[in-house]
Amino acid sequence: YPFHVVDSAVWWHYMWELAFYWSLFISQFFDAKRKDFWEMFIHHVATLALLILSWTNHMHRMGSLVLLVHDFADHWLELAKLARYANFKMCCDISFVVFLVTWSYTRIGVFPTWIIYSTTIEAAQLVQMFPVYYIFNCLLSILLVLHIIWFYYIAKVAYKSLISGKTDDSRSDSDSDDEDSEDNPSDNKKLK
């Protein structure tokens, strides 16, 4: 550190993720308003700040791990949404269960116990701490709090679907939004 070689695949990954999160940040103001609008706003600001700061401070290795953990479950959610819109209930249910397991494992399990632990405890033993580390850890902690909030929403959707057999987005503000929306409050990338 700080002169790690940046592989071209990592460079492209970072640029795609930055473009994607900027598009989510801008589009959230034009999409249907959800109950978790402010959580998503904070999530996008924290994510963009982490991406930009980790890139400019040559911490792309840490940033790549955070991106991997956050992107790991997203495709299962998108598959569940696609199956739901196509009325493929079995595929939707299976995809949502895989999403629930992978999202919970990566964002509630791996993220705090491996990444945040590494950046708060182990990093201090390897390199001299400087102000940006405290900013990083604060932003990572903000993401963790958001994950816990969204885990509650996801668990609530899973519980309701087990009881009633019907999945609705608990973030929706109106009944018409419930019919058009998906099972999960973190349908935007994140969080990852």
Side-chain angles (χ1 to χ4, degrees):
Y1 175 81
F3 303 108
H4 298 298
V5 176
V6 179
D7 187 74
S8 65
V10 172
W11 186 89
W12 278 105
H13 185 225
Y14 253 81
M15 296 308 116
W16 281 108
E17 291 286 347
L18 270 170
F20 181 75
Y21 277 105
W22 274 114
S23 72
L24 288 177
F25 178 77
I26 293 167
S27 68
Q28 73 183 349
F29 297 105
F30 304 104
D31 288 343
K33 294 285 187 204
R34 302 285 185 189
K35 290 178 183 175
D36 69 339
F37 173 84
W38 288 107
E39 289 91 340
M40 288 306 300
F41 177 80
I42 293 167
H43 174 265
H44 294 319
V45 169
T47 302
L48 285 167
L50 281 167
L51 281 167
I52 292 166
L53 288 173
S54 66
W55 185 260
T56 57
N57 286 284
H58 305 282
M59 297 180 180
H60 56 275
R61 289 181 175 185
M62 176 192 70
S64 295
L65 288 174
V66 172
L67 287 171
L68 175 68
V69 165
H70 282 80
D71 289 345
F72 192 74
D74 291 343
H75 60 282
W76 293 108
L77 173 64
E78 298 305 323
L79 181 60
K81 289 165 56 173
L82 180 68
R84 181 171 185 217
Y85 298 146
N87 291 323
F88 296 144
K89 184 165 176 33
M90 176 75 82
C91 181
C92 176
D93 293 344
I94 292 169
S95 300
F96 183 75
V97 168
V98 173
F99 165 75
L100 175 64
V101 170
T102 57
W103 194 93
S104 302
Y105 177 73
T106 57
R107 296 193 190 192
I108 302 296
V110 172
F111 183 65
T113 61
W114 185 39
I115 295 177
I116 292 180
Y117 176 80
S118 178
T119 62
T120 56
I121 305 300
E122 294 174 341
Q125 299 168 359
L126 300 174
V127 295
Q128 182 179 2
M129 300 299 273
F130 58 99
V132 78
Y133 272 105
Y134 302 109
I135 295 169
F136 281 127
N137 289 326
C138 178
L139 292 169
L140 291 172
S141 298
I142 288 169
L143 289 181
L144 179 59
V145 169
L146 291 171
H147 295 166
I148 293 167
I149 292 168
W150 285 323
F151 179 74
Y152 167 76
Y153 289 144
I154 294 168
K156 188 174 164 182
V157 168
Y159 177 76
K160 283 183 179 180
S161 70
L162 282 174
I163 299 301
S164 69
K166 182 179 177 187
T167 55
D168 287 323
D169 190 341
S170 61
R171 303 175 305 157
S172 299
D173 286 331
S174 69
D175 292 337
S176 63
D177 284 345
D178 285 345
E179 295 169 6
D180 297 332
S181 58
E182 178 43 40
D183 326 335
N184 172 17
S186 68
D187 59 357
N188 292 323
K189 278 187 74 149
K190 358 71 136 166
L191 107 358
K192 259 262 215 243

